[in-house]
Amino acid sequence: VLLSKQDHSIGIYAGGKFLRKHKLFIIRGYLSLRLTFFLNNLAQQFKDSLRFLRDFSRKIISNLVFNNSCNPFTVFLYHEITDKPSRFASEHHLSVSITRFEDQIKWISENFHIIDPAVLNKPYKSEMSSINSREALITFDDGSRSIIKHAVPILRKYNIRALVFLNGAPVSGNVFWSGLITYLFTNDHLFRMKMEAKYAKYSGPSFLYITPNDISDYSIESRLNDTNRRVKAYHGEFMSMDEIRQNSDVLVFGNHLFNHFNAVNIPEEQLIEQISLNKSFLNDIPESVSSLFSYPFGQPETCYNAKTNKIILKTGISQVFYANKGCNKSRLETFIYRVAVTNKFSTGYMKSLCTK
């Protein structure tokens, strides 16, 4: 609607009259809005400051707690490093993705002095005379090929050497015992029912107590012609001897028995034979320390005990590694605890692995 000049003038006059009449009210309203905005802004800044102080104090307290409660020597345990884990690793939570592994290694390298496995049981140098200084060791069990493909490039990038506890049998092309028993336990349901009934009185998973005789006596699945092929597909590839030799700048190899048997579950003679066979196998690898040993499975009582420790030390083993968490006062101890790392990453998670 177009206003006439007269109407336009009347509108301006009326608006001016309204502003003059209510000027004080308008000013008060404007100042009130400005004050409200200022106070809200001040309150937000105060909240942000409190949040910053809270987060900062938590970080300081967390660091103090970590420094006071952290193990002097923390040993990290891995199995597979891959974005496409084997069924075996997936079912037993034994894999870490490539990105997560690098995040974890970066954090460990920033918070610990990571030692070379070759100096593991050697005396501290004068500059490292403090047993209070935080040390760490990276270890792998079994010998998955994913270690060569995905872990080694990351370790090389951060100039870190790691210790691989190797089973000679699957590297030589034989069936991986741990993969075989868990495969049958998963796929041969009648066999599983019989094993659960037979070993019901034992603690821990029934497959830990399976023997070769159990398989030959009760497993129909194991008698099929292509069982070995399917078991190998289930547990994934192992590194080859050529790959082992080509990556000796990064990897040092220790004893994990010739095959992945439960040390508690085999006779003393067989346990000694398994250690001896694997020592002979490791002698063909330039970067190997066959006097370093880690238990297959590695859990207390079900997979190792005082009796097996005594037997193993008699064979010339100098240090024994477990797969359960505990406090290591130094890297010179005979029995060393390890923390199994899962596919997670956060500062809190990593710190929780290292505390006593």
Side-chain angles (χ1 to χ4, degrees):
V1 178
L2 297 176
L3 296 174
S4 64
K5 287 185 179 180
Q6 184 179 1
D7 291 337
H8 187 66
S9 300
I10 292 170
I12 292 172
Y13 172 77
K17 187 176 181 182
F18 176 83
L19 289 174
R20 286 191 297 274
K21 183 177 181 182
H22 299 285
K23 178 171 67 175
L24 187 59
F25 174 78
I26 291 169
I27 292 172
R28 283 177 178 174
Y30 171 75
L31 292 176
S32 177
L33 287 173
R34 291 286 296 176
L35 182 61
T36 301
F37 176 78
F38 172 76
L39 291 175
N40 285 340
N41 191 42
L42 187 65
Q44 186 60 48
Q45 289 181 13
F46 182 68
K47 287 179 182 178
D48 291 343
S49 298
L50 285 178
R51 191 178 293 111
F52 171 79
L53 289 172
R54 181 197 65 194
D55 293 343
F56 182 74
S57 61
R58 281 180 178 176
K59 186 175 181 180
I60 294 295
I61 293 169
S62 174
N63 286 335
L64 287 172
V65 171
F66 176 61
N67 290 334
N68 290 326
S69 64
C70 181
N71 266 319
F73 180 47
T74 302
V75 184
F76 297 90
L77 167 59
Y78 293 93
H79 288 83
E80 286 189 18
I81 307 300
T82 178
D83 293 336
K84 297 178 180 179
S86 65
R87 272 185 59 203
F88 170 75
S90 295
E91 290 172 4
H92 298 279
H93 310 291
L94 298 176
S95 71
V96 174
S97 72
I98 300 167
T99 302
R100 288 269 168 82
F101 178 71
E102 180 160 10
D103 289 339
Q104 293 166 356
I105 290 297
K106 184 174 183 292
W107 184 90
I108 295 168
S109 66
E110 290 171 350
N111 288 277
F112 290 86
H113 169 63
I114 301 177
I115 66 167
D116 185 330
V119 303
L120 185 59
N121 52 12
K122 294 181 180 178
Y124 288 88
K125 294 180 181 178
S126 56
E127 66 270 19
M128 283 299 298
S129 59
S130 91
I131 291 185
N132 295 324
S133 164
R134 289 202 304 260
E135 291 187 314
L137 176 68
I138 308 300
T139 68
F140 298 86
D141 275 4
D142 307 340
S144 166
R145 191 162 182 256
S146 68
I147 299 167
I148 298 288
K149 292 174 67 177
H150 306 303
V152 163
I154 293 169
L155 294 170
R156 194 173 278 125
K157 174 181 175 181
Y158 289 90
N159 196 28
I160 294 169
R161 297 190 85 197
L163 177 57
V164 180
F165 290 104
L166 202 62
N167 295 120
V171 172
S172 303
N174 298 315
V175 171
F176 180 46
W177 174 256
S178 183
L180 172 63
I181 59 175
T182 51
Y183 172 83
L184 294 177
F185 209 68
T186 302
N187 294 278
D188 192 333
H189 300 294
L190 183 60
F191 176 71
R192 177 171 183 159
M193 288 172 60
K194 289 178 178 177
M195 293 301 97
E196 287 178 339
K198 182 177 180 179
Y199 298 113
K201 64 180 181 180
Y202 294 88
S203 61
S206 301
F207 64 76
L208 290 174
Y209 305 99
I210 294 173
T211 67
N213 286 339
D214 287 330
I215 293 175
S216 60
D217 291 345
Y218 299 111
S219 174
I220 297 172
E221 180 81 16
S222 65
R223 298 169 197 168
L224 301 177
N225 292 331
D226 62 344
T227 297
N228 284 356
R229 179 188 60 78
R230 285 183 284 113
V231 171
K232 288 180 180 179
Y234 169 73
H235 63 60
E237 293 181 310
F238 277 71
M239 55 183 72
S240 68
M241 286 299 290
D242 285 342
E243 289 171 328
I244 288 170
R245 293 189 181 100
Q246 289 164 9
N247 292 280
S248 60
D249 62 316
V250 176
L251 302 179
V252 174
F253 297 90
N255 203 325
H256 199 44
L257 298 186
F258 191 63
N259 215 330
H260 204 279
F261 292 114
N262 180 354
V264 171
N265 202 40
I266 57 178
E268 179 176 343
E269 298 77 16
Q270 188 180 354
L271 178 55
I272 293 171
E273 181 188 31
Q274 282 285 312
I275 292 172
S276 178
L277 284 170
N278 220 38
K279 277 186 176 181
S280 298
F281 173 79
L282 291 170
N283 285 340
D284 291 332
I285 300 173
E287 289 297 323
S288 66
V289 186
S290 59
S291 62
L292 302 177
F293 172 82
S294 81
Y295 277 105
F297 305 106
Q299 297 304 312
E301 300 308 321
T302 55
C303 305
Y304 73 83
N305 54 35
K307 180 182 176 182
T308 58
N309 282 344
K310 187 176 179 180
I311 295 168
I312 285 165
L313 292 179
K314 284 195 305 183
T315 66
I317 295 295
S318 61
Q319 285 184 297
V320 177
F321 289 74
Y322 302 141
N324 58 298
K325 188 176 180 180
C327 180
N328 300 316
K329 294 180 181 178
S330 86
R331 58 177 163 83
L332 303 179
E333 293 186 330
T334 303
F335 301 102
I336 295 178
Y337 296 95
R338 294 184 293 171
V339 289
V341 189
T342 60
N343 193 31
K344 299 178 184 177
F345 178 75
S346 70
T347 300
Y349 169 69
M350 297 304 293
K351 285 182 177 180
S352 72
L353 295 176
C354 310
T355 52
K356 298 173 185 175

